[in-house]
């Protein structure tokens, strides 16, 4: 069974590190098979908005975009097929570091200056999708860190449950187990009651 550590901590949040939590789960008989980060290690990537996108004068597959970081506008050359005005995307600004120790610098692509990089989900190691830019929700706050906006400082924990531990086949069951292991209170998230529609 796989679950997000942040999701588990929304139910029960003992004052311990991720490593201690994983070790205690294993010692309790819930063998942890893997702990996978939600995304690769990167910094300097914010929510950006494409203000305009025009054809590159010397390249058919490139577009020259004006991108806002909430405070100012930057010219960025992009080859993604879905680069168009009005969408919000991950914007790696000058000085950003992407997975694989890749640093973003000012560059010229076919003679046109580019001040940053617009990112796909695979370039941030969020998923394998490399079909184009990662499009964010229309209400994404321009300028906010992508790590904060998408809650990427999280891990996916996979536990291998034995047949006698059916009580841990749900997040509620895992939360009760962790609460018992650490003598920590388990707080079921409040779900608003919806009125019936006739």
């Amino acid at each position: 069974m796989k679950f997000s550590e942040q999701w588990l901590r929304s139910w029960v949040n003992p004052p311990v590190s991720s490593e201690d939590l994983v070790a205690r789960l294993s010692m309790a008989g819930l063998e942890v098979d893997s702990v996978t980060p939600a995304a690769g290690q990167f910094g300097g990537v914010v929510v950006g908005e494409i203000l305009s996108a025009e054809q590159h004068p010397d390249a058919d597959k490139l577009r020259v975009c004006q991108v806002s970081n909430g405070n100012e506008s930057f010219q960025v050359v992009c080859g993604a097929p879905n680069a168009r005005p009005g969408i919000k995307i991950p914007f790696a600004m000058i000085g950003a570091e992407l997975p694989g120790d890749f640093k973003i610098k000012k560059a010229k692509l076919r003679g046109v200056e580019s001040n940053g990089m617009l990112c796909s989900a695979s370039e941030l190691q969020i998923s394998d999708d490399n079909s184009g830019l990662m499009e964010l929700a229309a209400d994404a706050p321009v300028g906010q860190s992508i790590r904060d906006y998408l809650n990427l400082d999280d891990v996916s924990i996979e536990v291998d449950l034995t047949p006698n531990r059916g009580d841990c086949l749900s997040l509620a069951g895992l939360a009760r187990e962790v609460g018992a292991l650490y003598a920590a209170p388990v707080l079921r998230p409040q779900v608003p009651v919806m009125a019936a529609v006739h």
Side-chain angles (χ1 to χ4, degrees):
M1 175 177 161
K2 281 188 179 182
F3 59 93
S4 155
E5 181 184 356
Q6 284 186 8
W7 190 20
L8 176 66
R9 286 184 183 270
S10 71
W11 284 71
V12 59
N13 193 7
V16 296
S17 67
S18 298
E19 293 78 16
D20 187 63
L21 176 65
V22 166
R24 182 71 70 93
L25 284 173
S26 289
M27 293 301 290
L30 303 175
E31 183 183 341
V32 175
D33 281 347
S34 66
V35 178
T36 310
Q41 287 299 315
F42 62 85
V45 183
V46 299
V47 175
E49 181 175 11
I50 299 179
L51 304 174
S52 67
E54 298 172 3
Q55 187 64 45
H56 189 291
D58 296 325
D60 291 341
K61 294 187 178 183
L62 296 178
R63 300 181 66 96
V64 180
C65 302
Q66 292 299 319
V67 182
S68 171
N69 71 349
N71 295 323
E72 55 185 307
S73 176
F74 299 88
Q75 178 174 288
V76 179
V77 177
C78 179
N82 62 334
R84 63 187 187 283
I87 64 169
K88 295 183 178 173
I89 39 72
F91 175 34
M93 302 188 356
I94 301 287
E97 292 189 30
L98 298 184
D101 203 25
F102 181 65
K103 292 183 170 68
I104 302 298
K105 300 175 184 153
K106 191 181 285 191
K108 276 195 173 183
L109 295 164
R110 295 272 182 110
V112 176
E113 192 173 279
S114 183
N115 299 295
M117 177 176 159
L118 308 183
C119 303
S120 70
S122 71
E123 288 163 332
L124 300 178
Q125 292 181 354
I126 295 172
S127 78
D128 294 334
D129 184 8
N130 200 19
S131 60
L133 299 176
M134 180 180 182
E135 295 190 34
L136 305 172
D139 63 352
V142 177
Q144 184 179 12
S145 162
I146 284 288
R147 292 198 82 84
D148 294 341
Y149 174 65
L150 296 176
N151 293 319
L152 296 178
D153 292 323
D154 192 8
V155 294
S156 172
I157 301 171
E158 183 175 9
V159 293
D160 187 15
L161 297 172
T162 53
N164 65 325
R165 293 308 310 259
D167 58 313
C168 290
L169 283 172
S170 69
L171 197 70
L174 280 166
R176 284 192 300 270
E177 182 72 14
V178 170
L181 290 172
Y182 289 99
V186 178
L187 305 171
R188 183 178 295 273
Q190 295 300 310
V191 179
V193 176
M194 302 297 290
V197 179
H198 298 288

